[in-house]
Amino acid sequence: MTKSPRRAFVAANWKMHGTRWMVLDYATDWPEVPAEVDVVLCPPWGYLDRVRSVLDGKGIRFGVQHTAIEPRGAFTGEHAAEMAGDLGAAFAIVGHSERRRLFGETDEVVAGKFAAALRAGLTPILCVGEVLDERRQGAAETVVATQLDAVMDQCGAPMLAGCVIAYEPVWAIGTGETATPAEAQEMHAAIRAKLVREGVELADTVRIVYGGSVKATNAQELFAEPDIDGALVGGASLDAVEFAEICCAAA
Ligand code: PEP
């Protein structure tokens, strides 16, 4: 199978992990990664500035794991997408399954956050994916299509051009259970076909990355699939050397 000319994209989702010292170690341990891979680190908000300052110049870009919908105001504890941009972030993860499940983010809220990221000049990394029961019932594609429709209905299909979509089957996140390359490829192809049908301009340039227990040991076989353009990596991204290995596998 031939790979497309789309640039590989690998992002780290540190979730709520890290310390000021871990950030320094990470920068020290970070090896060189081929320039043809887009590498993005999404640390917790509180460490974004520090991560950026110690890793700047290493060919890495930065993102946040969530934002508020509103640009400013009396929303105690929240962070606006505009603030992420002000701190040098270029990406925002939107609709991660942990935000949907643990913080009650509905499809409508996710669409609002997608719009907020665009408004602030950030590239959304839009997470979609089904839970295990939905897969067992044969509803995985319908669930993912509904999640995409919510964003397209609120923001307009053309707004997906240029964004990154992360297919993250919920049953594979943090479980050590990975979708097989064939299962992931099937969903990625279905997502791309949907984008083409919806008339997303240049749908072929939208990167669709896989997330769910990606490690250095399984990255290569996933990236060999024609529609898997990279990965969103949780647990394995906390180790600079392993995360860099995954980035190299995508090159
Ligand atoms: C994630 O949190 O987006 C993720 C894919 O986690 P993990 O790699 O740990 O499964």
mmCIF file with all atom_site columns, all heavy atoms in Angstrom, residues 11-15 93 96-98 127 166 168-169 172-177 210-215 232-237, ligand 1:
data_model
loop_
_atom_site.group_PDB
_atom_site.id
_atom_site.type_symbol
_atom_site.label_atom_id
_atom_site.label_alt_id
_atom_site.label_comp_id
_atom_site.label_asym_id
_atom_site.label_entity_id
_atom_site.label_seq_id
_atom_site.pdbx_PDB_ins_code
_atom_site.Cartn_x
_atom_site.Cartn_y
_atom_site.Cartn_z
_atom_site.occupancy
_atom_site.B_iso_or_equiv
_atom_site.pdbx_formal_charge
_atom_site.auth_seq_id
_atom_site.auth_comp_id
_atom_site.auth_asym_id
_atom_site.auth_atom_id
_atom_site.pdbx_PDB_model_num
ATOM   1   N N   . ALA A 1 11  ? 0.970   13.800 18.094 1.00 0.00 ? 11  ALA A N   1
ATOM   2   C CA  . ALA A 1 11  ? 0.770   14.710 19.225 1.00 0.00 ? 11  ALA A CA  1
ATOM   3   C C   . ALA A 1 11  ? 0.798   13.938 20.537 1.00 0.00 ? 11  ALA A C   1
ATOM   4   O O   . ALA A 1 11  ? 0.355   12.783 20.603 1.00 0.00 ? 11  ALA A O   1
ATOM   5   C CB  . ALA A 1 11  ? -0.559  15.448 19.080 1.00 0.00 ? 11  ALA A CB  1
ATOM   6   N N   . ALA A 1 12  ? 1.330   14.599 21.556 1.00 0.00 ? 12  ALA A N   1
ATOM   7   C CA  . ALA A 1 12  ? 1.399   14.024 22.904 1.00 0.00 ? 12  ALA A CA  1
ATOM   8   C C   . ALA A 1 12  ? 0.316   14.661 23.762 1.00 0.00 ? 12  ALA A C   1
ATOM   9   O O   . ALA A 1 12  ? 0.221   15.891 23.833 1.00 0.00 ? 12  ALA A O   1
ATOM   10  C CB  . ALA A 1 12  ? 2.765   14.322 23.514 1.00 0.00 ? 12  ALA A CB  1
ATOM   11  N N   . ASN A 1 13  ? -0.475  13.806 24.397 1.00 0.00 ? 13  ASN A N   1
ATOM   12  C CA  . ASN A 1 13  ? -1.451  14.294 25.372 1.00 0.00 ? 13  ASN A CA  1
ATOM   13  C C   . ASN A 1 13  ? -0.971  13.832 26.744 1.00 0.00 ? 13  ASN A C   1
ATOM   14  O O   . ASN A 1 13  ? -1.129  12.669 27.101 1.00 0.00 ? 13  ASN A O   1
ATOM   15  C CB  . ASN A 1 13  ? -2.834  13.697 25.053 1.00 0.00 ? 13  ASN A CB  1
ATOM   16  C CG  . ASN A 1 13  ? -3.854  14.031 26.120 1.00 0.00 ? 13  ASN A CG  1
ATOM   17  O OD1 . ASN A 1 13  ? -3.621  14.886 26.974 1.00 0.00 ? 13  ASN A OD1 1
ATOM   18  N ND2 . ASN A 1 13  ? -5.000  13.355 26.078 1.00 0.00 ? 13  ASN A ND2 1
ATOM   19  N N   . TRP A 1 14  ? -0.358  14.762 27.476 1.00 0.00 ? 14  TRP A N   1
ATOM   20  C CA  . TRP A 1 14  ? 0.186   14.392 28.790 1.00 0.00 ? 14  TRP A CA  1
ATOM   21  C C   . TRP A 1 14  ? -0.912  14.197 29.834 1.00 0.00 ? 14  TRP A C   1
ATOM   22  O O   . TRP A 1 14  ? -0.621  13.767 30.947 1.00 0.00 ? 14  TRP A O   1
ATOM   23  C CB  . TRP A 1 14  ? 1.159   15.473 29.277 1.00 0.00 ? 14  TRP A CB  1
ATOM   24  C CG  . TRP A 1 14  ? 2.497   15.455 28.614 1.00 0.00 ? 14  TRP A CG  1
ATOM   25  C CD1 . TRP A 1 14  ? 2.870   14.684 27.547 1.00 0.00 ? 14  TRP A CD1 1
ATOM   26  C CD2 . TRP A 1 14  ? 3.645   16.227 28.982 1.00 0.00 ? 14  TRP A CD2 1
ATOM   27  N NE1 . TRP A 1 14  ? 4.187   14.951 27.225 1.00 0.00 ? 14  TRP A NE1 1
ATOM   28  C CE2 . TRP A 1 14  ? 4.682   15.889 28.095 1.00 0.00 ? 14  TRP A CE2 1
ATOM   29  C CE3 . TRP A 1 14  ? 3.901   17.182 29.972 1.00 0.00 ? 14  TRP A CE3 1
ATOM   30  C CZ2 . TRP A 1 14  ? 5.948   16.462 28.172 1.00 0.00 ? 14  TRP A CZ2 1
ATOM   31  C CZ3 . TRP A 1 14  ? 5.156   17.766 30.048 1.00 0.00 ? 14  TRP A CZ3 1
ATOM   32  C CH2 . TRP A 1 14  ? 6.172   17.392 29.154 1.00 0.00 ? 14  TRP A CH2 1
ATOM   33  N N   . LYS A 1 15  ? -2.112  14.569 29.485 1.00 0.00 ? 15  LYS A N   1
ATOM   34  C CA  . LYS A 1 15  ? -3.220  14.542 30.453 1.00 0.00 ? 15  LYS A CA  1
ATOM   35  C C   . LYS A 1 15  ? -2.797  15.304 31.715 1.00 0.00 ? 15  LYS A C   1
ATOM   36  O O   . LYS A 1 15  ? -2.039  16.266 31.611 1.00 0.00 ? 15  LYS A O   1
ATOM   37  C CB  . LYS A 1 15  ? -3.639  13.099 30.761 1.00 0.00 ? 15  LYS A CB  1
ATOM   38  C CG  . LYS A 1 15  ? -3.855  12.272 29.495 1.00 0.00 ? 15  LYS A CG  1
ATOM   39  C CD  . LYS A 1 15  ? -4.565  10.984 29.746 1.00 0.00 ? 15  LYS A CD  1
ATOM   40  C CE  . LYS A 1 15  ? -4.558  10.176 28.460 1.00 0.00 ? 15  LYS A CE  1
ATOM   41  N NZ  . LYS A 1 15  ? -5.612  9.192  28.410 1.00 0.00 ? 15  LYS A NZ  1
ATOM   42  N N   . ILE A 1 93  ? -6.629  20.295 21.640 1.00 0.00 ? 93  ILE A N   1
ATOM   43  C CA  . ILE A 1 93  ? -7.398  19.045 21.597 1.00 0.00 ? 93  ILE A CA  1
ATOM   44  C C   . ILE A 1 93  ? -8.844  19.406 21.939 1.00 0.00 ? 93  ILE A C   1
ATOM   45  O O   . ILE A 1 93  ? -9.101  20.160 22.883 1.00 0.00 ? 93  ILE A O   1
ATOM   46  C CB  . ILE A 1 93  ? -6.835  18.027 22.613 1.00 0.00 ? 93  ILE A CB  1
ATOM   47  C CG1 . ILE A 1 93  ? -5.383  17.652 22.260 1.00 0.00 ? 93  ILE A CG1 1
ATOM   48  C CG2 . ILE A 1 93  ? -7.706  16.779 22.659 1.00 0.00 ? 93  ILE A CG2 1
ATOM   49  C CD1 . ILE A 1 93  ? -4.700  16.749 23.282 1.00 0.00 ? 93  ILE A CD1 1
ATOM   50  N N   . HIS A 1 96  ? -11.933 15.330 23.583 1.00 0.00 ? 96  HIS A N   1
ATOM   51  C CA  . HIS A 1 96  ? -11.315 14.092 24.065 1.00 0.00 ? 96  HIS A CA  1
ATOM   52  C C   . HIS A 1 96  ? -12.366 13.293 24.851 1.00 0.00 ? 96  HIS A C   1
ATOM   53  O O   . HIS A 1 96  ? -13.176 13.866 25.571 1.00 0.00 ? 96  HIS A O   1
ATOM   54  C CB  . HIS A 1 96  ? -10.103 14.413 24.954 1.00 0.00 ? 96  HIS A CB  1
ATOM   55  C CG  . HIS A 1 96  ? -9.287  13.191 25.257 1.00 0.00 ? 96  HIS A CG  1
ATOM   56  N ND1 . HIS A 1 96  ? -9.652  12.296 26.235 1.00 0.00 ? 96  HIS A ND1 1
ATOM   57  C CD2 . HIS A 1 96  ? -8.154  12.699 24.701 1.00 0.00 ? 96  HIS A CD2 1
ATOM   58  C CE1 . HIS A 1 96  ? -8.767  11.305 26.267 1.00 0.00 ? 96  HIS A CE1 1
ATOM   59  N NE2 . HIS A 1 96  ? -7.849  11.526 25.342 1.00 0.00 ? 96  HIS A NE2 1
ATOM   60  N N   . SER A 1 97  ? -12.309 11.977 24.753 1.00 0.00 ? 97  SER A N   1
ATOM   61  C CA  . SER A 1 97  ? -13.363 11.153 25.387 1.00 0.00 ? 97  SER A CA  1
ATOM   62  C C   . SER A 1 97  ? -13.404 11.344 26.895 1.00 0.00 ? 97  SER A C   1
ATOM   63  O O   . SER A 1 97  ? -14.459 11.213 27.516 1.00 0.00 ? 97  SER A O   1
ATOM   64  C CB  . SER A 1 97  ? -13.176 9.683  25.038 1.00 0.00 ? 97  SER A CB  1
ATOM   65  O OG  . SER A 1 97  ? -11.938 9.228  25.515 1.00 0.00 ? 97  SER A OG  1
ATOM   66  N N   . GLU A 1 98  ? -12.236 11.682 27.520 1.00 0.00 ? 98  GLU A N   1
ATOM   67  C CA  . GLU A 1 98  ? -12.268 11.914 28.975 1.00 0.00 ? 98  GLU A CA  1
ATOM   68  C C   . GLU A 1 98  ? -13.028 13.199 29.293 1.00 0.00 ? 98  GLU A C   1
ATOM   69  O O   . GLU A 1 98  ? -13.711 13.293 30.313 1.00 0.00 ? 98  GLU A O   1
ATOM   70  C CB  . GLU A 1 98  ? -10.832 11.944 29.526 1.00 0.00 ? 98  GLU A CB  1
ATOM   71  C CG  . GLU A 1 98  ? -10.246 10.541 29.598 1.00 0.00 ? 98  GLU A CG  1
ATOM   72  C CD  . GLU A 1 98  ? -8.735  10.465 29.495 1.00 0.00 ? 98  GLU A CD  1
ATOM   73  O OE1 . GLU A 1 98  ? -8.053  11.484 29.673 1.00 0.00 ? 98  GLU A OE1 1
ATOM   74  O OE2 . GLU A 1 98  ? -8.235  9.358  29.211 1.00 0.00 ? 98  GLU A OE2 1
ATOM   75  N N   . CYS A 1 127 ? -11.251 14.982 18.561 1.00 0.00 ? 127 CYS A N   1
ATOM   76  C CA  . CYS A 1 127 ? -11.278 13.554 18.919 1.00 0.00 ? 127 CYS A CA  1
ATOM   77  C C   . CYS A 1 127 ? -12.680 12.985 18.735 1.00 0.00 ? 127 CYS A C   1
ATOM   78  O O   . CYS A 1 127 ? -13.665 13.576 19.193 1.00 0.00 ? 127 CYS A O   1
ATOM   79  C CB  . CYS A 1 127 ? -10.882 13.364 20.381 1.00 0.00 ? 127 CYS A CB  1
ATOM   80  S SG  . CYS A 1 127 ? -9.233  13.948 20.750 1.00 0.00 ? 127 CYS A SG  1
ATOM   81  N N   . ALA A 1 166 ? -8.658  13.041 15.324 1.00 0.00 ? 166 ALA A N   1
ATOM   82  C CA  . ALA A 1 166 ? -8.058  11.898 16.029 1.00 0.00 ? 166 ALA A CA  1
ATOM   83  C C   . ALA A 1 166 ? -9.149  10.860 16.248 1.00 0.00 ? 166 ALA A C   1
ATOM   84  O O   . ALA A 1 166 ? -10.114 11.109 16.984 1.00 0.00 ? 166 ALA A O   1
ATOM   85  C CB  . ALA A 1 166 ? -7.469  12.339 17.357 1.00 0.00 ? 166 ALA A CB  1
ATOM   86  N N   . GLU A 1 168 ? -10.152 7.951  18.147 1.00 0.00 ? 168 GLU A N   1
ATOM   87  C CA  . GLU A 1 168 ? -9.725  7.318  19.390 1.00 0.00 ? 168 GLU A CA  1
ATOM   88  C C   . GLU A 1 168 ? -10.847 6.409  19.908 1.00 0.00 ? 168 GLU A C   1
ATOM   89  O O   . GLU A 1 168 ? -11.749 6.894  20.614 1.00 0.00 ? 168 GLU A O   1
ATOM   90  C CB  . GLU A 1 168 ? -9.414  8.379  20.444 1.00 0.00 ? 168 GLU A CB  1
ATOM   91  C CG  . GLU A 1 168 ? -8.304  9.325  20.039 1.00 0.00 ? 168 GLU A CG  1
ATOM   92  C CD  . GLU A 1 168 ? -7.572  9.879  21.248 1.00 0.00 ? 168 GLU A CD  1
ATOM   93  O OE1 . GLU A 1 168 ? -8.228  10.480 22.125 1.00 0.00 ? 168 GLU A OE1 1
ATOM   94  O OE2 . GLU A 1 168 ? -6.359  9.678  21.332 1.00 0.00 ? 168 GLU A OE2 1
ATOM   95  N N   . PRO A 1 169 ? -10.818 5.131  19.554 1.00 0.00 ? 169 PRO A N   1
ATOM   96  C CA  . PRO A 1 169 ? -11.828 4.237  20.124 1.00 0.00 ? 169 PRO A CA  1
ATOM   97  C C   . PRO A 1 169 ? -11.689 4.263  21.649 1.00 0.00 ? 169 PRO A C   1
ATOM   98  O O   . PRO A 1 169 ? -10.595 4.023  22.178 1.00 0.00 ? 169 PRO A O   1
ATOM   99  C CB  . PRO A 1 169 ? -11.474 2.870  19.529 1.00 0.00 ? 169 PRO A CB  1
ATOM   100 C CG  . PRO A 1 169 ? -10.114 2.987  18.932 1.00 0.00 ? 169 PRO A CG  1
ATOM   101 C CD  . PRO A 1 169 ? -9.819  4.440  18.726 1.00 0.00 ? 169 PRO A CD  1
ATOM   102 N N   . ALA A 1 172 ? -9.919  1.697  23.721 1.00 0.00 ? 172 ALA A N   1
ATOM   103 C CA  . ALA A 1 172 ? -8.476  1.486  23.542 1.00 0.00 ? 172 ALA A CA  1
ATOM   104 C C   . ALA A 1 172 ? -7.649  2.541  24.275 1.00 0.00 ? 172 ALA A C   1
ATOM   105 O O   . ALA A 1 172 ? -6.426  2.488  24.257 1.00 0.00 ? 172 ALA A O   1
ATOM   106 C CB  . ALA A 1 172 ? -8.135  1.513  22.050 1.00 0.00 ? 172 ALA A CB  1
ATOM   107 N N   . ILE A 1 173 ? -8.313  3.497  24.929 1.00 0.00 ? 173 ILE A N   1
ATOM   108 C CA  . ILE A 1 173 ? -7.566  4.590  25.560 1.00 0.00 ? 173 ILE A CA  1
ATOM   109 C C   . ILE A 1 173 ? -7.123  4.195  26.963 1.00 0.00 ? 173 ILE A C   1
ATOM   110 O O   . ILE A 1 173 ? -7.953  3.897  27.829 1.00 0.00 ? 173 ILE A O   1
ATOM   111 C CB  . ILE A 1 173 ? -8.397  5.882  25.608 1.00 0.00 ? 173 ILE A CB  1
ATOM   112 C CG1 . ILE A 1 173 ? -8.660  6.338  24.174 1.00 0.00 ? 173 ILE A CG1 1
ATOM   113 C CG2 . ILE A 1 173 ? -7.687  6.968  26.398 1.00 0.00 ? 173 ILE A CG2 1
ATOM   114 C CD1 . ILE A 1 173 ? -9.411  7.617  24.060 1.00 0.00 ? 173 ILE A CD1 1
ATOM   115 N N   . GLY A 1 174 ? -5.808  4.164  27.142 1.00 0.00 ? 174 GLY A N   1
ATOM   116 C CA  . GLY A 1 174 ? -5.245  3.883  28.456 1.00 0.00 ? 174 GLY A CA  1
ATOM   117 C C   . GLY A 1 174 ? -5.474  2.459  28.928 1.00 0.00 ? 174 GLY A C   1
ATOM   118 O O   . GLY A 1 174 ? -5.286  2.148  30.104 1.00 0.00 ? 174 GLY A O   1
ATOM   119 N N   . THR A 1 175 ? -5.884  1.571  28.032 1.00 0.00 ? 175 THR A N   1
ATOM   120 C CA  . THR A 1 175 ? -6.225  0.209  28.439 1.00 0.00 ? 175 THR A CA  1
ATOM   121 C C   . THR A 1 175 ? -5.170  -0.801 28.024 1.00 0.00 ? 175 THR A C   1
ATOM   122 O O   . THR A 1 175 ? -5.227  -1.958 28.437 1.00 0.00 ? 175 THR A O   1
ATOM   123 C CB  . THR A 1 175 ? -7.548  -0.228 27.769 1.00 0.00 ? 175 THR A CB  1
ATOM   124 O OG1 . THR A 1 175 ? -7.379  -0.132 26.340 1.00 0.00 ? 175 THR A OG1 1
ATOM   125 C CG2 . THR A 1 175 ? -8.709  0.641  28.197 1.00 0.00 ? 175 THR A CG2 1
ATOM   126 N N   . GLY A 1 176 ? -4.257  -0.392 27.146 1.00 0.00 ? 176 GLY A N   1
ATOM   127 C CA  . GLY A 1 176 ? -3.288  -1.344 26.612 1.00 0.00 ? 176 GLY A CA  1
ATOM   128 C C   . GLY A 1 176 ? -3.873  -2.114 25.434 1.00 0.00 ? 176 GLY A C   1
ATOM   129 O O   . GLY A 1 176 ? -3.209  -2.879 24.748 1.00 0.00 ? 176 GLY A O   1
ATOM   130 N N   . GLU A 1 177 ? -5.157  -1.904 25.204 1.00 0.00 ? 177 GLU A N   1
ATOM   131 C CA  . GLU A 1 177 ? -5.902  -2.565 24.106 1.00 0.00 ? 177 GLU A CA  1
ATOM   132 C C   . GLU A 1 177 ? -5.837  -1.636 22.890 1.00 0.00 ? 177 GLU A C   1
ATOM   133 O O   . GLU A 1 177 ? -6.238  -0.480 22.984 1.00 0.00 ? 177 GLU A O   1
ATOM   134 C CB  . GLU A 1 177 ? -7.352  -2.649 24.594 1.00 0.00 ? 177 GLU A CB  1
ATOM   135 C CG  . GLU A 1 177 ? -8.295  -3.480 23.814 1.00 0.00 ? 177 GLU A CG  1
ATOM   136 C CD  . GLU A 1 177 ? -8.238  -4.944 24.205 1.00 0.00 ? 177 GLU A CD  1
ATOM   137 O OE1 . GLU A 1 177 ? -7.951  -5.253 25.383 1.00 0.00 ? 177 GLU A OE1 1
ATOM   138 O OE2 . GLU A 1 177 ? -8.456  -5.736 23.312 1.00 0.00 ? 177 GLU A OE2 1
ATOM   139 N N   . TYR A 1 210 ? -4.538  8.246  14.694 1.00 0.00 ? 210 TYR A N   1
ATOM   140 C CA  . TYR A 1 210 ? -5.132  7.226  15.554 1.00 0.00 ? 210 TYR A CA  1
ATOM   141 C C   . TYR A 1 210 ? -4.673  7.443  17.000 1.00 0.00 ? 210 TYR A C   1
ATOM   142 O O   . TYR A 1 210 ? -3.509  7.798  17.238 1.00 0.00 ? 210 TYR A O   1
ATOM   143 C CB  . TYR A 1 210 ? -4.702  5.819  15.081 1.00 0.00 ? 210 TYR A CB  1
ATOM   144 C CG  . TYR A 1 210 ? -5.106  4.770  16.079 1.00 0.00 ? 210 TYR A CG  1
ATOM   145 C CD1 . TYR A 1 210 ? -6.427  4.319  16.127 1.00 0.00 ? 210 TYR A CD1 1
ATOM   146 C CD2 . TYR A 1 210 ? -4.197  4.287  17.017 1.00 0.00 ? 210 TYR A CD2 1
ATOM   147 C CE1 . TYR A 1 210 ? -6.820  3.403  17.086 1.00 0.00 ? 210 TYR A CE1 1
ATOM   148 C CE2 . TYR A 1 210 ? -4.591  3.367  17.975 1.00 0.00 ? 210 TYR A CE2 1
ATOM   149 C CZ  . TYR A 1 210 ? -5.901  2.939  18.006 1.00 0.00 ? 210 TYR A CZ  1
ATOM   150 O OH  . TYR A 1 210 ? -6.300  2.042  18.970 1.00 0.00 ? 210 TYR A OH  1
ATOM   151 N N   . GLY A 1 211 ? -5.561  7.204  17.937 1.00 0.00 ? 211 GLY A N   1
ATOM   152 C CA  . GLY A 1 211 ? -5.185  7.278  19.350 1.00 0.00 ? 211 GLY A CA  1
ATOM   153 C C   . GLY A 1 211 ? -5.792  6.126  20.127 1.00 0.00 ? 211 GLY A C   1
ATOM   154 O O   . GLY A 1 211 ? -6.954  5.768  19.912 1.00 0.00 ? 211 GLY A O   1
ATOM   155 N N   . GLY A 1 212 ? -4.998  5.554  21.005 1.00 0.00 ? 212 GLY A N   1
ATOM   156 C CA  . GLY A 1 212 ? -5.496  4.440  21.826 1.00 0.00 ? 212 GLY A CA  1
ATOM   157 C C   . GLY A 1 212 ? -4.385  3.446  22.050 1.00 0.00 ? 212 GLY A C   1
ATOM   158 O O   . GLY A 1 212 ? -4.148  2.561  21.239 1.00 0.00 ? 212 GLY A O   1
ATOM   159 N N   . SER A 1 213 ? -3.636  3.664  23.157 1.00 0.00 ? 213 SER A N   1
ATOM   160 C CA  . SER A 1 213 ? -2.549  2.752  23.543 1.00 0.00 ? 213 SER A CA  1
ATOM   161 C C   . SER A 1 213 ? -1.483  2.599  22.467 1.00 0.00 ? 213 SER A C   1
ATOM   162 O O   . SER A 1 213 ? -0.938  1.508  22.269 1.00 0.00 ? 213 SER A O   1
ATOM   163 C CB  . SER A 1 213 ? -3.109  1.382  23.953 1.00 0.00 ? 213 SER A CB  1
ATOM   164 O OG  . SER A 1 213 ? -3.971  1.525  25.077 1.00 0.00 ? 213 SER A OG  1
ATOM   165 N N   . VAL A 1 214 ? -1.180  3.708  21.764 1.00 0.00 ? 214 VAL A N   1
ATOM   166 C CA  . VAL A 1 214 ? -0.069  3.669  20.806 1.00 0.00 ? 214 VAL A CA  1
ATOM   167 C C   . VAL A 1 214 ? 1.239   3.679  21.595 1.00 0.00 ? 214 VAL A C   1
ATOM   168 O O   . VAL A 1 214 ? 1.403   4.440  22.557 1.00 0.00 ? 214 VAL A O   1
ATOM   169 C CB  . VAL A 1 214 ? -0.108  4.878  19.837 1.00 0.00 ? 214 VAL A CB  1
ATOM   170 C CG1 . VAL A 1 214 ? 1.119   4.877  18.931 1.00 0.00 ? 214 VAL A CG1 1
ATOM   171 C CG2 . VAL A 1 214 ? -1.389  4.848  19.013 1.00 0.00 ? 214 VAL A CG2 1
ATOM   172 N N   . LYS A 1 215 ? 2.148   2.808  21.185 1.00 0.00 ? 215 LYS A N   1
ATOM   173 C CA  . LYS A 1 215 ? 3.454   2.688  21.839 1.00 0.00 ? 215 LYS A CA  1
ATOM   174 C C   . LYS A 1 215 ? 4.511   2.555  20.764 1.00 0.00 ? 215 LYS A C   1
ATOM   175 O O   . LYS A 1 215 ? 4.181   2.322  19.587 1.00 0.00 ? 215 LYS A O   1
ATOM   176 C CB  . LYS A 1 215 ? 3.490   1.435  22.712 1.00 0.00 ? 215 LYS A CB  1
ATOM   177 C CG  . LYS A 1 215 ? 2.460   1.440  23.820 1.00 0.00 ? 215 LYS A CG  1
ATOM   178 C CD  . LYS A 1 215 ? 2.598   0.207  24.689 1.00 0.00 ? 215 LYS A CD  1
ATOM   179 C CE  . LYS A 1 215 ? 1.714   0.279  25.917 1.00 0.00 ? 215 LYS A CE  1
ATOM   180 N NZ  . LYS A 1 215 ? 0.386   0.831  25.736 1.00 0.00 ? 215 LYS A NZ  1
ATOM   181 N N   . LEU A 1 232 ? -2.291  10.314 18.182 1.00 0.00 ? 232 LEU A N   1
ATOM   182 C CA  . LEU A 1 232 ? -2.419  11.106 19.408 1.00 0.00 ? 232 LEU A CA  1
ATOM   183 C C   . LEU A 1 232 ? -2.069  10.112 20.517 1.00 0.00 ? 232 LEU A C   1
ATOM   184 O O   . LEU A 1 232 ? -2.708  9.066  20.651 1.00 0.00 ? 232 LEU A O   1
ATOM   185 C CB  . LEU A 1 232 ? -3.839  11.643 19.563 1.00 0.00 ? 232 LEU A CB  1
ATOM   186 C CG  . LEU A 1 232 ? -4.146  12.442 20.836 1.00 0.00 ? 232 LEU A CG  1
ATOM   187 C CD1 . LEU A 1 232 ? -3.192  13.628 21.010 1.00 0.00 ? 232 LEU A CD1 1
ATOM   188 C CD2 . LEU A 1 232 ? -5.590  12.966 20.814 1.00 0.00 ? 232 LEU A CD2 1
ATOM   189 N N   . VAL A 1 233 ? -1.027  10.445 21.277 1.00 0.00 ? 233 VAL A N   1
ATOM   190 C CA  . VAL A 1 233 ? -0.447  9.476  22.209 1.00 0.00 ? 233 VAL A CA  1
ATOM   191 C C   . VAL A 1 233 ? -0.624  9.975  23.643 1.00 0.00 ? 233 VAL A C   1
ATOM   192 O O   . VAL A 1 233 ? -0.228  11.112 23.957 1.00 0.00 ? 233 VAL A O   1
ATOM   193 C CB  . VAL A 1 233 ? 1.063   9.295  21.913 1.00 0.00 ? 233 VAL A CB  1
ATOM   194 C CG1 . VAL A 1 233 ? 1.647   8.187  22.781 1.00 0.00 ? 233 VAL A CG1 1
ATOM   195 C CG2 . VAL A 1 233 ? 1.302   8.994  20.437 1.00 0.00 ? 233 VAL A CG2 1
ATOM   196 N N   . GLY A 1 234 ? -1.183  9.139  24.495 1.00 0.00 ? 234 GLY A N   1
ATOM   197 C CA  . GLY A 1 234 ? -1.342  9.503  25.894 1.00 0.00 ? 234 GLY A CA  1
ATOM   198 C C   . GLY A 1 234 ? -0.165  8.997  26.716 1.00 0.00 ? 234 GLY A C   1
ATOM   199 O O   . GLY A 1 234 ? 0.924   9.566  26.714 1.00 0.00 ? 234 GLY A O   1
ATOM   200 N N   . GLY A 1 235 ? -0.374  7.865  27.396 1.00 0.00 ? 235 GLY A N   1
ATOM   201 C CA  . GLY A 1 235 ? 0.608   7.328  28.335 1.00 0.00 ? 235 GLY A CA  1
ATOM   202 C C   . GLY A 1 235 ? 2.040   7.292  27.814 1.00 0.00 ? 235 GLY A C   1
ATOM   203 O O   . GLY A 1 235 ? 2.974   7.720  28.502 1.00 0.00 ? 235 GLY A O   1
ATOM   204 N N   . ALA A 1 236 ? 2.210   6.788  26.608 1.00 0.00 ? 236 ALA A N   1
ATOM   205 C CA  . ALA A 1 236 ? 3.576   6.612  26.085 1.00 0.00 ? 236 ALA A CA  1
ATOM   206 C C   . ALA A 1 236 ? 4.250   7.941  25.745 1.00 0.00 ? 236 ALA A C   1
ATOM   207 O O   . ALA A 1 236 ? 5.458   7.961  25.486 1.00 0.00 ? 236 ALA A O   1
ATOM   208 C CB  . ALA A 1 236 ? 3.547   5.708  24.855 1.00 0.00 ? 236 ALA A CB  1
ATOM   209 N N   . SER A 1 237 ? 3.503   9.032  25.772 1.00 0.00 ? 237 SER A N   1
ATOM   210 C CA  . SER A 1 237 ? 4.126   10.327 25.440 1.00 0.00 ? 237 SER A CA  1
ATOM   211 C C   . SER A 1 237 ? 4.812   10.953 26.648 1.00 0.00 ? 237 SER A C   1
ATOM   212 O O   . SER A 1 237 ? 5.489   11.974 26.530 1.00 0.00 ? 237 SER A O   1
ATOM   213 C CB  . SER A 1 237 ? 3.084   11.304 24.882 1.00 0.00 ? 237 SER A CB  1
ATOM   214 O OG  . SER A 1 237 ? 2.218   11.756 25.903 1.00 0.00 ? 237 SER A OG  1
HETATM 215 C C1  . PEP B 2 .   ? -5.293  9.739  24.750 1.00 0.00 ? 1   PEP B C1  1
HETATM 216 O O1  . PEP B 2 .   ? -5.445  10.085 25.901 1.00 0.00 ? 1   PEP B O1  1
HETATM 217 O O2  . PEP B 2 .   ? -5.624  10.481 23.823 1.00 0.00 ? 1   PEP B O2  1
HETATM 218 C C2  . PEP B 2 .   ? -4.704  8.429  24.504 1.00 0.00 ? 1   PEP B C2  1
HETATM 219 C C3  . PEP B 2 .   ? -4.693  7.981  23.271 1.00 0.00 ? 1   PEP B C3  1
HETATM 220 O O3  . PEP B 2 .   ? -4.193  7.753  25.597 1.00 0.00 ? 1   PEP B O3  1
HETATM 221 P P1  . PEP B 2 .   ? -3.313  6.395  25.602 1.00 0.00 ? 1   PEP B P1  1
HETATM 222 O O4  . PEP B 2 .   ? -2.286  6.543  24.505 1.00 0.00 ? 1   PEP B O4  1
HETATM 223 O O5  . PEP B 2 .   ? -2.735  6.326  26.943 1.00 0.00 ? 1   PEP B O5  1
HETATM 224 O O6  . PEP B 2 .   ? -4.265  5.285  25.288 1.00 0.00 ? 1   PEP B O6  1
#
